[in-house]
Amino acid sequence: MAFKATLFVFLLVAAVAIVLVPMAEAQLGLISGLLGLIRIQGTLFCTPNGNVGTGGATATPVFSNATVQLLCGTAGNVISTVTTNGSGIFSILLDPLQFLLNSLLSDCKLLVKTPLSACNSSLSGLTGLLSSPLQFIGNTIAGLLSIVNIIPVGFNLINN
């Protein structure tokens, strides 16, 4: 009798799992935006264009403690402001329910507000700001979290 009861419980659990797992997946499709992030990240180098120099990444100094802003729209609304760390790395996290990927890529850019002279006094003659459009490079899955990865295309010095 114990075997029949155990078998019955096992079959009942299996039937419930067969019904509930597809329902959970369907529900996650509705709230997948709640389980995702948009990450814009990159490394800023201390060069006239903020990119890796001719000697490569190991020979190019980084631009630490630089203010990087995400600006969107024709008015250049500041969406987020971050500071690069000691390795010149910055990361901006956004809620995917508030931003469309196509809009971010076409209407937004990164702007470095810190003058180049802050990382290298020999660059003090260069006035202007570093600016870069954005590029989608793919998605990363971390458990249930889906991360949209975006990087700067390449910084250019613009006159302000």
Side-chain angles (χ1 to χ4, degrees):
M1 184 73 171
F3 175 73
K4 288 182 182 181
T6 304
L7 182 61
F8 176 74
V9 169
F10 175 76
L11 291 175
L12 184 61
V13 169
V16 168
I18 289 171
V19 171
L20 291 182
V21 169
M23 287 175 58
E25 288 176 5
Q27 289 173 352
L28 285 177
L30 296 174
I31 62 168
S32 63
L34 297 175
L35 299 174
L37 287 173
I38 297 172
R39 178 175 53 198
I40 302 170
Q41 67 181 10
T43 303
L44 187 61
F45 292 93
C46 186
T47 60
N49 64 4
N51 300 310
V52 175
T54 55
T58 56
T60 306
V62 295
F63 196 161
S64 59
N65 298 314
T67 301
V68 180
Q69 292 182 330
L70 175 66
L71 293 104
C72 296
T74 55
N77 297 322
V78 177
I79 304 301
S80 183
T81 301
V82 296
T83 303
T84 59
N85 67 12
S87 300
I89 298 170
F90 64 91
S91 183
I92 298 171
L93 298 176
L94 301 172
D95 181 353
L97 295 176
Q98 295 180 351
F99 298 94
L100 296 174
L101 180 60
N102 288 340
S103 295
L104 276 171
L105 298 177
S106 64
D107 296 336
C108 299
K109 65 181 176 183
L110 295 172
L111 192 69
V112 178
K113 298 295 284 189
T114 308
L116 287 169
S117 60
C119 70
N120 185 341
S121 60
S122 68
L123 299 176
S124 63
L126 298 173
T127 58
L129 303 172
L130 295 173
S131 177
S132 176
L134 301 171
Q135 176 182 2
F136 171 71
I137 59 166
N139 292 328
T140 304
I141 304 296
L144 290 176
L145 187 65
S146 175
I147 303 169
V148 174
N149 296 297
I150 298 174
I151 60 170
V153 172
F155 287 94
N156 292 305
L157 185 65
I158 58 168
N159 294 324
N160 52 346

